[in-house]
Amino acid sequence: MNRLHQLTYYFNHGAVAIAVSLFTLATVNAQTIIPIETAHNALVLQADAKKDLKTIFFGKKLANKEEYSQVSGQYKQTDDYSEQLNAAYTPSGSRNLVEPAISVTHADGNNSLDLSYVDHTVTAIDNNVNLLKIRLKDPAYNFEVTLFYKSFYKQDVIEQWTEIKHSEKGIVTLNKYASANLHLKSPHFWLNQYHGDWAKEMQPEQSELTHGIKTLDSKLGTRANLFQPSVFMISLDKPGEENEGNVLYGALEWSGNFKIDLELDYQNNLRIIAGMNNYASPYSLKPGELFTTPAFLYTFSNQGKGDASRKLQNWARNYKILDGKGSRLTLLNNWEATYFDFNEQKLADLLKDTKKLGVDLFLLDDGWFGNKYPRNDDHAALGDWQENKKKLPNGISSLVKEADNVGTKFGIWIEPEMVSPKSELYEKHPDWVVKQPNRPEHYFRNQLELDLSNPKVQDFVFSVVDGLFTKNPKLAYIKWDCNAVIYNAYSAHLKNQSHFYIDYVRGLYTVLQRIRAKYPTIPMMLCSGGGGRVDYGALQYFTEFWPSDNTDPLERIFMQWEYSYFYPAVSSSNHVTDWGKQSIKFRTDVAMMGKLGFDIVVSKLPEKELQFCQEAIKNYNDVKAIIWQGDQYRLADPRSGSVASMLYVNEEKTEGVIFNYQVNYRYGESSKYPVKLNGLDANKKYQIKEINLFPGTKSPIDGSKTYTGDFLMNIGFNPILNTDRTSVVLKFEEVK
Ligand code: GLA
């Protein structure tokens, strides 16, 4: 085995936890090839004779590793004048002519940076995960950048981030500090991006990238994804399909301002530069101080969007989402049932309803706190996390006890980063509030943020959560909301205001880390006025997220569809509410495609509807492991036809569920064609039965018939949808 093969071996097998220093290799060979290989892909970097680190290949891996060095020679594009168009991390102020990954002002005021390869090490963390570190240094300054590539072999996922430090004589200002800088080659690039607003999350758009820079970004500070999330897809050559095409998925693991530049350069290559947004945020770095960027996450598939999404979902369950392989609690939430208008008696009834319905937990939403300024609407009391004595004279602890008595669990809503102008907290600690000292306040949902860059505020936020658990050890669930964006960004605590946006999010993560150190497994829902903060930076502390306040089931079919490309079903909280005109069956079926919950007045349900819900919850308990942990296949896209169809199958391909909906109610519409199944074993035989039938209805589907996987995947199966049957849930099982 020569050194290159040896290195490749470690990347592939990662069997031993070792660190390989390849400094010698760099000095022996004029060119150092650094392949990062996963099950199907390779990202290949090269430190050339001048010590420039470049990306020479990214895509489906080659059988013969020796050939990566010959890839570049096959492209006859125009000149690379700077000789660093494909830099693995583009510096600025020296030769560079395009969008940089990093830009700095040195201690002596000089704005130039160059980065030369020094050495790299590979550490096998376990059989599946490797960590590659590449050190780069400016030949003219004591300024160092380390690139980190954490690769997940089976899932074809890479997390990439950067550490920056220096030992110059004074402060260095970081003007830009990307997490990653990718370089892709293809004649055409198609971008799938998302936009939205409250109740309109994850609206997809697809376009071919043209020359110049397309930027996906957020400057909202908190609730950062409200208008645009950082997740996106790039299809190479032609628009990716569900089951074919070369597709890259990207996402930034960061809950604050982000910036992703997609630069189609003059040579026709795509440069992706992703990281925290440097907007209003030049960051000053003392000698010896370490600046670490969040990770940029990407996966690639040459078999279309479906395959890429299953890889990402699998990665998220195994490595990122808190307790991703664990179980979840079904629940009844009182938000839409009562809004702010409740008291002990009403809640006691709802606790009984929780038990009657058959879900695991009752979740008390907004409105339970504030005395001087009671929380009776959304104009007051955020920050005053004491039970309102009028509504709850015996406190939360009596409710937790009552829940225990009726045999259910109890969870609670908080929004601990926020403060209402009408609150005792604001009166006591005006210096904890994010606001400009000399400008009028401007509110988002009548509220302001607390300054989480301030350690005292971090202590306060931690104490809100810690206090609830200390007083109520049986508290079983937290819904953590964040309803405002940041206006008038200013911290009374920080000396350097341009650190604010970054230090806010770091402060938030510090609090969440403290919470998780003390309460490692308590389920927590990540909510932000709907889906304003769904990202993998936050999700490592949360078990699930709230996709949107829009729970109209027809809308949810589309929205959950888009979320599912990036996030596994186990993390998606889907509630049955009174939004939309659809039947209770339709609403429940849609909510079952993730983590099921209810937000309805159970006592007002007609008998048959209650019976339906109770049976549906039993069915759900039967199949939820497949929905949460199985592989998800998108069969029929609601955007391209009248039918939406989504399949979940277990790893052994012996059991699964298919959710089918008619999404177009025009005259005569129906499922005219069979829906082609996917993810089955062609050689196995299956039976398909309809479940979740409304009491008193019969299924036209003959559950005793047997079909091969081959038949079901090539011909398909008709769920028999029509305007009288708009929602059909099918369960399939292998028969021997
Ligand atoms: C946000 C959340 C809702 C609900 C309300 C309470 O809008 O998204 O689910 O909790 O706040 O005020």
Side-chain angles (χ1 to χ4, degrees):
M1 249 197 233
N2 66 28
R3 294 299 295 269
L4 179 59
H5 278 121
Q6 209 172 18
L7 168 66
T8 309
Y9 177 85
Y10 289 126
F11 271 110
N12 280 342
H13 298 86
V16 213
I18 49 149
V20 196
S21 172
L22 291 168
F23 185 67
T24 40
L25 181 64
T27 48
V28 173
N29 303 341
Q31 305 207 333
T32 305
I33 305 269
I34 312 173
I36 304 164
E37 288 199 321
T38 55
H40 302 94
N41 304 329
L43 167 61
V44 185
L45 307 174
Q46 179 188 50
D48 66 13
K50 289 185 184 160
K51 300 241 185 321
D52 285 337
L53 184 71
K54 296 173 167 176
T55 304
I56 56 165
F57 178 78
F58 183 47
K60 182 171 179 276
K61 71 183 179 193
L62 300 180
N64 179 1
K65 273 112 208 139
E66 306 288 347
E67 289 186 326
Y68 286 129
S69 62
Q70 298 186 48
V71 172
S72 310
Q74 296 307 312
Y75 288 84
K76 304 294 175 200
Q77 296 169 283
T78 57
D79 288 342
D80 175 358
Y81 303 108
S82 67
E83 294 177 10
Q84 62 175 189
L85 258 180
N86 58 341
Y89 196 72
T90 313
S92 68
S94 47
R95 278 170 293 154
N96 174 49
L97 299 170
V98 288
E99 185 61 32
I102 181 166
S103 141
V104 308
T105 304
H106 293 286
D108 64 4
N110 189 293
N111 283 323
S112 73
L113 182 69
D114 203 357
L115 292 171
S116 297
Y117 168 84
V118 179
D119 59 15
H120 71 277
T121 59
V122 188
T123 309
I125 294 173
D126 61 30
N127 282 342
N128 192 49
V129 188
N130 277 321
L131 183 64
L132 163 68
K133 287 187 205 177
I134 308 176
R135 267 204 309 149
L136 307 172
K137 205 180 158 308
D138 188 335
Y141 284 89
N142 274 326
F143 187 96
E144 213 179 291
V145 170
T146 307
L147 306 181
F148 290 79
Y149 297 81
K150 193 172 188 183
S151 54
F152 301 80
Y153 191 81
K154 262 190 248 153
Q155 292 80 10
D156 283 319
V157 164
I158 296 178
E159 279 181 302
Q160 193 185 330
W161 70 95
T162 302
E163 272 180 13
I164 303 168
K165 66 175 181 200
H166 71 89
S167 43
E168 297 186 19
K169 292 194 180 70
I171 301 282
V172 171
T173 305
L174 307 179
N175 303 309
K176 191 168 186 197
Y177 27 75
S179 301
N181 179 173
L182 304 185
H183 184 267
L184 308 175
K185 282 187 180 292
S186 169
H188 301 275
F189 296 95
W190 291 80
L191 168 68
N192 282 68
Q193 61 177 103
Y194 294 89
H195 67 100
D197 197 346
W198 177 77
K200 294 195 199 100
E201 288 86 344
M202 293 301 275
Q203 307 291 322
E205 270 175 328
Q206 186 180 59
S207 56
E208 182 168 3
L209 286 170
T210 55
H211 291 85
I213 301 179
K214 166 83 186 179
T215 299
L216 308 177
D217 84 334
S218 171
K219 303 184 187 77
L220 306 183
T222 45
R223 204 174 172 171
N225 292 351
L226 179 63
F227 303 142
Q228 180 159 70
S230 73
V231 294
F232 66 95
M233 301 176 197
I234 296 288
S235 304
L236 281 68
D237 204 16
K238 55 186 182 193
E241 300 283 341
E242 192 62 29
N243 298 312
E244 61 167 306
N246 294 306
V247 191
L248 171 121
Y249 281 29
L252 191 71
E253 298 179 30
W254 183 245
S255 309
N257 294 348
F258 60 84
K259 186 167 193 265
I260 295 162
D261 287 316
L262 305 152
E263 180 172 25
L264 189 60
D265 69 24
Y266 68 90
Q267 276 194 334
N268 266 345
N269 302 315
L270 184 65
R271 306 178 63 255
I272 302 177
I273 302 114
M276 293 184 283
N277 202 336
N278 57 344
Y279 158 75
S281 301
Y283 209 94
S284 49
L285 202 63
K286 291 186 214 112
E289 199 185 337
L290 198 64
F291 183 92
T292 307
T293 72
F296 177 63
L297 160 75
Y298 46 99
T299 185
F300 176 83
S301 171
N302 69 332
Q303 284 169 53
K305 299 194 285 186
D307 183 51
S309 76
R310 284 183 288 280
K311 288 173 174 175
L312 204 52
Q313 292 184 354
N314 185 303
W315 170 83
R317 282 190 300 252
N318 280 288
Y319 295 104
K320 195 52 69 167
I321 289 172
L322 193 99
D323 202 19
K325 301 291 281 179
S327 189
R328 296 292 185 272
L329 300 167
T330 53
L331 59 83
L332 177 68
N333 187 196
N334 72 313
W335 176 238
E336 291 191 22
T338 66
Y339 292 104
F340 298 94
D341 180 22
F342 54 80
N343 55 29
E344 249 171 32
Q345 187 51 52
K346 264 198 197 174
L347 295 183
D349 292 344
L350 289 174
L351 285 172
K352 287 191 199 105
D353 288 346
T354 308
K355 187 72 193 164
K356 190 158 136 197
L357 194 60
V359 289
D360 304 318
L361 174 130
F362 173 74
L363 170 61
L364 175 60
D365 215 283
D366 197 355
W368 57 268
F369 49 92
N371 285 298
K372 181 169 176 189
Y373 305 103
R375 181 79 170 166
N376 291 328
D377 57 36
D378 61 12
H379 285 77
L382 292 172
D384 300 345
W385 300 104
Q386 299 84 32
E387 297 94 330
N388 177 277
K389 298 227 164 72
K390 255 199 201 150
K391 288 185 200 174
L392 306 175
N394 297 300
I396 296 295
S397 52
S398 82
L399 295 170
V400 179
K401 221 182 269 160
E402 183 57 22
D404 209 27
N405 289 344
V406 296
T408 185
K409 292 181 196 303
F410 189 88
I412 200 161
W413 177 98
I414 48 172
E415 198 182 3
E417 295 158 75
M418 300 289 159
V419 59
S420 301
K422 261 169 79 183
S423 67
E424 293 183 75
L425 186 72
Y426 188 105
E427 289 170 353
K428 239 206 271 167
H429 295 291
D431 57 320
W432 284 9
V433 178
V434 176
K435 58 184 176 120
Q436 288 286 349
N438 51 4
R439 296 188 194 281
E441 291 176 8
H442 190 74
Y443 307 125
F444 200 102
R445 207 193 186 206
N446 319 301
Q447 64 196 58
L448 293 164
E449 274 80 6
L450 292 174
D451 175 11
L452 270 170
S453 72
N454 182 343
K456 284 194 187 132
V457 175
Q458 294 168 19
D459 287 346
F460 169 78
V461 175
F462 174 74
S463 74
V464 172
V465 181
D466 192 36
L468 281 167
F469 284 121
T470 312
K471 276 190 237 142
N472 309 289
K474 287 210 162 164
L475 191 66
Y477 186 91
I478 295 274
K479 175 177 177 184
W480 180 303
D481 214 336
C482 166
N483 277 299
V485 302
I486 293 181
Y487 295 119
N488 289 313
Y490 180 87
S491 158
H493 162 76
L494 287 177
K495 284 203 189 74
N496 188 341
Q497 292 303 316
S498 58
H499 287 196
F500 173 72
Y501 283 121
I502 291 177
D503 286 359
Y504 181 99
V505 181
R506 287 181 173 169
L508 170 68
Y509 290 165
T510 302
V511 174
L512 290 166
Q513 278 153 18
R514 279 175 74 183
I515 293 171
R516 283 314 181 188
K518 193 157 176 193
Y519 308 101
T521 52
I522 281 285
M524 292 212 298
M525 185 206 284
L526 173 62
C527 177
S528 183
R533 190 188 256 171
V534 186
D535 68 77
Y536 280 119
L539 276 170
Q540 55 195 312
Y541 308 106
F542 290 86
T543 47
E544 55 220 69
F545 66 86
W546 183 235
S548 177
D549 280 355
N550 186 339
T551 47
D552 176 320
L554 188 59
E555 293 296 328
R556 274 296 184 108
I557 289 173
F558 290 80
M559 217 183 265
Q560 291 171 193
W561 185 276
E562 298 301 331
Y563 271 116
S564 79
Y565 284 116
F566 302 93
Y567 302 98
V570 69
S571 61
S572 177
S573 297
N574 305 334
H575 293 183
V576 178
T577 73
D578 285 332
W579 281 54
K581 298 189 185 72
Q582 287 74 15
S583 66
I584 189 88
K585 167 171 164 56
F586 193 109
R587 286 180 274 149
T588 309
D589 291 353
V590 173
M592 274 174 60
M593 293 196 289
K595 209 221 79 171
L596 175 67
F598 290 80
D599 195 344
I600 48 171
V601 185
V602 176
S603 59
K604 287 200 181 137
L605 284 178
E607 204 187 307
K608 275 193 176 170
E609 295 199 0
L610 176 63
Q611 193 193 334
F612 167 79
C613 291
Q614 290 165 329
E615 276 163 21
I617 291 163
K618 283 187 198 133
N619 290 335
Y620 182 70
N621 287 337
D622 223 28
V623 295
K624 66 189 180 191
I626 304 171
I627 296 170
W628 294 346
Q629 301 298 336
D631 281 323
Q632 191 172 2
Y633 288 84
R634 291 170 211 82
L635 306 178
D637 183 347
R639 282 191 169 77
S640 54
S642 299
V643 172
S645 188
M646 181 80 90
L647 177 147
Y648 302 77
V649 61
N650 66 357
E651 211 186 325
E652 301 76 34
K653 300 182 182 296
T654 53
E655 251 189 296
V657 204
I658 317 166
F659 294 89
N660 308 275
Y661 308 97
Q662 181 155 324
V663 294
N664 177 348
Y665 307 136
R666 293 189 63 188
Y667 177 77
E669 277 304 322
S670 63
S671 55
K672 300 190 175 82
Y673 303 96
V675 175
K676 280 186 189 160
L677 274 47
N678 204 343
L680 307 187
D681 181 338
N683 299 317
K684 284 191 170 39
K685 284 187 190 144
Y686 298 93
Q687 271 180 349
I688 303 183
K689 290 191 180 74
E690 183 169 357
I691 59 168
N692 271 17
L693 284 164
F694 196 76
T697 57
K698 274 207 180 123
S699 175
I701 288 163
D702 179 353
S704 67
K705 285 200 176 142
T706 301
Y707 308 87
T708 60
D710 174 56
F711 178 91
L712 293 169
M713 292 194 288
N714 285 304
I715 304 299
F717 186 83
N718 200 316
I720 319 188
L721 291 161
N722 52 53
T723 39
D724 294 326
R725 268 170 65 82
T726 51
S727 174
V728 172
V729 184
L730 302 169
K731 173 145 196 276
F732 61 89
E733 247 169 313
E734 185 190 7
V735 281
K736 289 202 172 150

